[in-house]
Amino acid sequence: MTEVRVATAAGPDFVLPDRLEASGPPESRGQLRDTVRLLVAEGQRVEHARFHELPRYLRAGDVVIVNTSATLAAAVDGTVDGVGRVVVHFSTPLDDGAWVVEVRAPGPVTGPLGAAAAGMRIRLPLGAQATLREPWPRTSIRLWRAEIDGVADVPRDLLAVAGRPITYAYVRERWPLPYYQTIFGKDRGSAEMASAARPFTHAMITELAVSGVVVAPILLHTSVSSAEPGEQPIPERYELPEWTARLINDRRAAGGRVIAVGTTVTRALETGATKRGTAVAGAGWTDLVLSARRPARVVDGLITGWHAPGASHLMLLESVVGTAAVRRAYEAALEEGYLWHEFGDSALLLRA
């Protein structure tokens, strides 16, 4: 049995074998999007299924909340005098027109570029330039507020022309941007895919609808996900529409469950939630950090991928279903050989 210990700071503590890191999309393994594995955990019960079987684990009256953010081609090559080639990950646009970026060395590296410093100028394609100003937020050791010159609209004039999807060392090939989109993505703005929704298909949405399960949208633009172990989530832009909040509250009052598709949806739903569990519409920035100390109030379960050791996402899972349930799920996933990361397998975690 694989040992999974509980770490109070960032969820279960475990070692992830290299063989369980999904190195490409399921299509590259001869699978369809909706045939990835699905672990279902509720209380002491753990079952193993395929994602296309999800509708049988939900019930009439449930509401499934999805993120409509679409993925940007947010990785751009650049050069720095005295350093050489670098890769800039565009994370988040700020209200003053600057961008939050992460600078990395090219190739399959882990962690930010150690030489990054305030005042560094990075030459980018199409005559653009990024100038690093200060860490963002100020306690960050890897993200920078950067002024971008030479392009009027970064997503349209730079990323769409010269960018590619952000990838990490475990993904061995480059895959086109459509592989990093979900069927719900219509509002461009995420540095990385809101990957929990990747296995959904239009046929499944139809099946959920005819079974009495409602699907409703929120919006949260994801930042870069390459956090250092123990690093807190950074602020992200979100929008919870009035009619979605009203639908959630009506369904909960009638005994339905709120199922969040991903940690992004959970964070957005919980940002304005009252202590009595009422969803509240809103928009802006969220800096909410969910954990067992600040449990979820609206979300009754979530669909999620598998997160790396030390990731803050693990604390968020605990906020919904509890520490023991997360530990059991991760122990079972490791024993059964589930695949991790954005192209891996899935889980449905339900509050007992």
Side-chain angles (χ1 to χ4, degrees):
M1 177 177 292
T2 303
E3 182 183 6
V4 181
R5 301 184 303 276
V6 175
T8 57
D13 180 22
F14 59 95
V15 176
L16 179 62
D18 291 345
R19 64 183 175 83
L20 297 186
E21 294 189 299
S23 60
E27 295 91 326
S28 70
R29 305 189 291 272
Q31 293 181 271
L32 300 174
R33 285 190 177 217
D34 65 351
T35 60
V36 296
R37 300 178 71 184
L38 176 70
L39 182 146
V40 181
E42 183 174 16
Q44 299 288 331
R45 176 175 65 92
V46 174
E47 293 186 22
H48 303 286
R50 294 286 172 177
F51 196 86
H52 62 78
E53 299 177 88
L54 173 68
R56 73 185 179 92
Y57 294 99
L58 303 180
R59 59 189 185 223
D62 288 345
V63 56
V64 174
I65 310 298
V66 301
N67 189 354
T68 62
S69 183
T71 313
L72 298 170
V76 178
D77 293 323
T79 57
V80 177
D81 290 341
V83 175
R85 294 190 304 123
V86 298
V87 178
V88 179
H89 291 176
F90 282 79
S91 178
T92 308
L94 298 175
D95 296 334
D96 62 359
W99 275 75
V100 177
V101 302
E102 182 182 39
V103 185
R104 291 187 163 225
V109 299
T110 57
L113 182 73
M120 174 180 280
R121 290 182 173 86
I122 306 168
R123 291 189 297 277
L124 300 170
L126 308 174
Q129 176 177 277
T131 304
L132 305 187
R133 291 307 183 192
E134 64 270 333
W136 192 95
R138 294 195 177 277
T139 56
S140 179
I141 61 173
R142 66 186 180 94
L143 298 176
W144 292 86
R145 177 183 172 275
E147 294 176 356
I148 312 299
D149 298 309
V151 289
D153 184 303
V154 169
R156 183 194 65 203
D157 301 333
L158 178 62
L159 304 186
V161 179
R164 62 180 180 273
I166 291 174
T167 58
Y168 298 107
Y170 53 82
V171 177
R172 298 178 188 138
E173 300 178 35
R174 289 185 180 176
W175 297 90
L177 187 59
Y179 284 90
Y180 292 85
Q181 304 292 8
T182 75
I183 65 169
F184 308 110
K186 68 180 185 67
D187 304 301
R188 66 179 187 177
S190 279
E192 300 186 35
M193 174 174 54
S195 57
R198 191 182 192 275
F200 277 87
T201 62
H202 295 289
M204 178 180 291
I205 297 304
T206 301
E207 186 175 353
L208 290 172
V210 299
S211 66
V213 176
V214 174
V215 177
I218 62 93
L219 177 67
L220 185 139
H221 291 314
T222 69
S223 58
V224 292
S225 67
S226 55
E228 296 297 303
E231 185 179 355
Q232 294 295 304
I234 65 174
E236 295 170 311
R237 293 180 184 273
Y238 84 102
E239 180 181 355
L240 173 54
E242 178 65 41
W243 73 269
T244 296
R246 187 163 56 247
L247 174 66
I248 289 169
N249 295 330
D250 290 346
R251 286 268 167 155
R252 292 197 87 210
R257 298 174 298 181
V258 176
I259 309 299
V261 180
T263 57
T264 61
V265 171
T266 305
R267 192 184 198 193
L269 288 177
E270 295 292 336
T271 292
T274 70
K275 291 183 178 180
R276 298 175 65 89
T278 300
V280 178
W285 291 87
T286 175
D287 59 1
L288 177 65
V289 177
L290 290 162
S291 68
R293 297 174 182 172
R294 196 311 201 169
R297 298 164 179 170
V298 174
V299 175
D300 302 299
L302 78 163
I303 296 161
T304 180
W306 299 94
H307 302 289
S312 62
H313 301 81
L314 296 167
M315 296 191 301
L316 184 147
L317 303 185
E318 292 179 352
S319 80
V320 178
V321 298
T323 300
V326 174
R327 183 178 65 245
R328 279 192 296 271
Y330 270 72
E331 184 176 72
L334 288 164
E335 289 177 351
E336 295 295 325
Y338 278 66
L339 295 180
W340 255 246
H341 304 311
E342 67 269 27
F343 289 138
D345 293 314
S346 297
L348 170 62
L349 306 179
L350 298 168
R351 182 180 295 157

